[in-house]
Amino acid sequence: MGEALDRLLDLLDLEQIEVNIFRGRSPGERRLRVFGGQVAGQALVAVGRTVPANRPVHSLHAYFIRPGDPSVPIVYTVDRVRDGRSFTTRRVSAIQHGEIIFTMSASFHHAEPGVEHADPMPDAPPPEQVERNSDRWARILGGDHPRAFDSPFDLRSVGPLSVEAERDPSLRTTRSLVWLRVDGELPDDELLHVCLMTYASDMTLLDSVLLGHGLSWLDGRTRGASLDHAMWFHRPFRADRWLLYAQSSPVAYGARGLARGEVFTADGRLVVSVMQEGLIRTTPAAD
């Protein structure tokens, strides 16, 4: 495994400081606030450690309440709401400086026999034929730009990057396809794979809002933050195998943009569904 993945796995390895209370940290570098996917992933680790391993998570619903401070630890307190015969429910709050910065409810359920259907995977070239995003960012922005830093995920966008759509109106769209996988081999720990996908789900999803308007997080006039985030886990999957993240934005209004995503395995199985609303504020472009 690479150093970036080692650092991420270390971030997800929370310290248990009391029954139902866990402590996580942030990497601290390159960010003014804690990355939302990190908080969501750590929160899922916390609740997952209070649930039997044979009952996997099937859904989570989260709210980002305040920006996280990357310079201090995050304390996660878990509320054991229900332990039923079929379902287990947990709530978790992330706390910094005595205030709640994030809340999540998660439900756990072991799959039972029943009806089955799923939307097909959209057409996309295989990941081996798509250039790594890190290489594209380095070519566009220069290798020393912060956006070109080493990532624990291998991301490969089939369509334009936001900075490309900013420069070329013909590339603007509210849909995107991204191949992704963890950049290394992982153990057979289902919760770990789910937590890593939770982390990754926040990395590119709001870009589907920006792409349609020629905006970029790097344009100097666009600021944003995740407001809420929901995920449904339909089938087991591995985060260290290629996954196609199909993303789109059906609506944006009132400085809020809604984005949705579907995650498919390379052989076409729909394994995760995602919804997120984000705050996106822009200032007028300079003449």
Side-chain angles (χ1 to χ4, degrees):
M1 292 187 292
E3 293 184 6
L5 180 55
D6 287 338
R7 290 194 297 269
L8 177 54
L9 295 180
D10 189 47
L11 286 179
L12 294 177
D13 187 19
L14 303 185
E15 174 191 4
Q16 183 165 1
I17 57 178
E18 185 50 271
V19 176
N20 300 331
I21 302 176
F22 302 84
R23 179 162 52 204
R25 61 180 185 83
S26 299
E29 73 273 9
R30 300 182 184 271
R31 293 188 178 273
L32 297 177
R33 66 177 72 182
V34 177
F35 171 54
Q38 174 198 315
V39 183
Q42 288 181 331
L44 190 54
V45 170
V47 295
R49 289 188 179 178
T50 70
V51 177
N54 63 352
R55 187 166 288 189
V57 62
H58 77 89
S59 70
L60 62 85
H61 299 260
Y63 285 91
F64 298 88
I65 299 171
R66 295 180 176 88
D69 180 352
S71 67
V72 299
I74 305 173
V75 174
Y76 296 90
T77 60
V78 178
D79 181 12
R80 303 188 185 217
V81 177
R82 180 174 184 264
D83 288 291
R85 288 184 298 177
S86 298
F87 290 88
T88 297
T89 307
R90 296 289 187 263
R91 279 196 300 262
V92 58
S93 298
I95 302 169
Q96 283 187 319
H97 304 295
E99 295 183 320
I100 295 175
I101 66 168
F102 171 91
T103 64
M104 174 192 288
S105 294
S107 181
F108 297 74
H109 171 244
H110 196 279
E112 304 173 19
V115 297
E116 292 187 20
H117 74 268
D119 286 344
M121 184 173 73
D123 292 333
E128 295 78 15
Q129 296 179 12
V130 182
E131 185 180 12
R132 292 177 67 122
N133 283 10
S134 57
D135 294 337
R136 292 175 67 180
W137 283 113
R139 188 177 66 255
I140 295 169
L141 303 172
D144 58 347
H145 192 281
R147 190 65 191 252
F149 70 93
D150 187 27
S151 171
F153 290 89
D154 184 346
L155 301 173
R156 304 188 182 196
S157 294
V158 174
L161 300 176
S162 58
V163 69
E164 294 171 325
E166 174 194 357
R167 300 172 182 179
D168 184 350
S170 69
L171 298 177
R172 294 175 187 176
T173 175
T174 56
R175 297 181 178 274
S176 68
L177 296 173
V178 180
W179 285 106
L180 66 87
R181 67 176 177 184
V182 168
D183 207 359
E185 293 291 325
L186 296 173
D188 295 331
D189 180 341
E190 186 171 349
L191 179 62
L192 176 62
H193 290 262
V194 168
C195 291
L196 286 165
M197 185 62 234
T198 301
Y199 181 101
S201 68
D202 193 34
M203 296 179 73
T204 59
L205 191 53
L206 287 182
D207 286 358
S208 61
V209 181
L210 304 186
L211 280 167
H213 298 272
L215 301 174
S216 167
W217 302 123
L218 306 177
D219 61 17
R221 63 189 186 95
T222 302
R223 296 174 295 119
S226 302
L227 295 175
D228 57 8
H229 197 84
M231 300 181 72
W232 294 265
F233 303 95
H234 312 303
R235 298 169 181 266
F237 60 90
R238 293 189 65 91
D240 55 359
R241 301 294 182 265
W242 285 115
L243 299 167
L244 183 67
Y245 196 7
Q247 301 156 86
S248 64
S249 176
V251 63
Y253 179 78
R256 300 187 312 275
L258 184 68
R260 60 191 173 199
E262 293 180 318
V263 181
F264 298 84
T265 58
D267 60 0
R269 292 179 299 125
L270 176 58
V271 292
V272 184
S273 297
V274 188
M275 292 289 289
Q276 183 182 87
E277 188 174 49
L279 179 69
I280 298 176
R281 290 176 172 148
T282 62
T283 55
D287 294 333

